[in-house]
């Protein structure tokens, strides 16, 4: 089965959900780190910024915790920017877990791959389109642009973050992750030049 190419960012709860989605789709997958999204202002700011550029797909587990996380994201993002997808409530336990979840349902990580493909297929690019991955912004690029490792680098990162509507004080790694989602490498260098 060839992977689906999804241009919309996909929001899931945890890293195992992300691994599952990445096994069937070439997509930008962002995790909420479970309830971590309630405290992680950087993550929510990134999701908000992504929603300005395109619609985002929300795919949380079909249990109470998944509903709370989905509700939190829905309250932070305009509804017309969200694509709400739902996995069916299937009783079971993920292989890696010793016990089933509190409600006994399989999460995204345990969902049937074919069912996930069916859910995502309407949002996939048609086959035959360019599938070449784009060149990523690296830590070396950030260093070369004075965003790390030098005097005033924290202030430069803050200026760049603000220009992208991201919060000040992001760690270099968090900012790098956001940059690779929001910008191409060429756009990054242009933006850094205009912020000088």
């Amino acid at each position: 089965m060839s992977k689906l190419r999804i241009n919309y960012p996909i929001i899931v709860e945890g890293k195992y959900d992300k691994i599952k989605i990445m096994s069937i789709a070439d997509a930008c997958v962002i995790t909420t780190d479970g309830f971590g999204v309630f405290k992680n202002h950087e993550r929510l700011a990134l999701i908000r910024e992504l929603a300005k550029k395109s619609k985002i797909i929300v795919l949380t587990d079909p249990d109470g915790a998944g509903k709370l996380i989905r509700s939190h994201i829905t309250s932070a993002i305009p509804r017309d920017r969200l694509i709400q997808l739902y996995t069916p409530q299937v009783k079971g336990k993920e292989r890696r877990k010793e016990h089933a979840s509190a409600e006994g349902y399989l999460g995204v990580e345990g969902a049937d791959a074919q069912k996930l493909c069916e859910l995502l297929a309407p949002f996939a690019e048609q086959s035959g389109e360019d599938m070449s991955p784009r060149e990523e912004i690296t830590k070396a690029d950030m260093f070369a642009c004075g965003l790390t490792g030098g005097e005033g680098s924290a202030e430069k990162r803050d200026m760049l973050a603000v220009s992208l509507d991201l919060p000040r004080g992001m760690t270099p790694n968090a900012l790098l992750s956001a940059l690779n989602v929001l910008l191409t490498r060429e756009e990054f260098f242009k933006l850094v030049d205009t912020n000088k």
Side-chain angles (χ1 to χ4, degrees):
M1 174 171 67
S2 61
K3 285 188 177 186
L4 300 170
R5 174 78 176 258
I6 311 290
N7 280 332
Y8 297 117
I10 303 171
I11 311 299
V12 296
E13 291 179 46
K15 69 177 182 179
Y16 292 102
D17 299 332
K18 180 176 181 175
I19 290 167
K20 182 65 173 257
I21 296 300
M22 297 296 284
S23 74
I24 61 164
D26 176 15
C28 167
V29 183
I30 308 290
T31 65
T32 67
D33 296 329
F35 289 124
V37 75
F38 287 88
K39 296 178 192 170
N40 189 332
H41 302 296
E42 292 176 358
R43 187 64 46 90
L44 196 55
L46 174 59
I47 293 170
R48 280 188 177 120
E49 192 58 28
L50 289 171
K52 288 179 187 176
K53 294 190 132 204
S54 79
K55 291 187 176 191
I56 58 174
I57 295 171
V58 180
L59 185 61
T60 57
D61 291 351
D63 58 13
K67 289 174 189 167
L68 278 174
I69 293 164
R70 182 185 294 271
S71 176
H72 183 66
I73 293 168
T74 302
S75 69
I77 308 295
R79 289 180 187 264
D80 67 332
R81 306 305 291 165
L82 297 172
I83 299 167
Q84 304 275 7
L85 295 183
Y86 300 87
T87 59
Q89 286 187 325
V90 175
K91 287 284 189 181
K93 174 186 81 70
E94 274 87 14
R95 286 184 197 160
R96 69 177 180 85
K97 294 181 179 175
E98 196 171 315
H99 304 287
S101 68
E103 296 175 41
Y105 296 120
L106 291 173
V108 171
E109 103 179 63
D112 178 67
Q114 185 58 42
K115 181 62 181 172
L116 290 173
C117 283
E118 289 169 15
L119 284 172
L120 292 170
F123 309 100
E125 283 185 4
Q126 299 305 308
S127 61
E129 295 186 34
D130 180 23
M131 293 288 285
S132 56
R134 69 181 191 184
E135 193 176 358
E136 290 211 338
I137 303 158
T138 66
K139 287 184 178 182
D141 294 331
M142 288 183 70
F143 180 79
C145 293
L147 297 170
T148 58
E151 190 174 324
S153 58
E155 291 81 10
K156 289 177 185 174
R157 284 195 307 276
D158 282 348
M159 283 177 55
L160 184 60
V162 167
S163 73
L164 292 167
D165 292 327
L166 295 170
R168 294 176 182 273
M170 291 181 78
T171 64
N173 285 340
L175 182 59
L176 180 61
S177 293
L179 291 172
N180 273 310
V181 169
L182 298 171
L183 303 171
T184 64
R185 196 160 180 262
E186 184 180 335
E187 290 168 336
F188 164 73
F189 285 116
K190 282 182 185 172
L191 187 58
V192 168
D193 280 344
T194 56
N195 281 337
K196 282 185 180 176

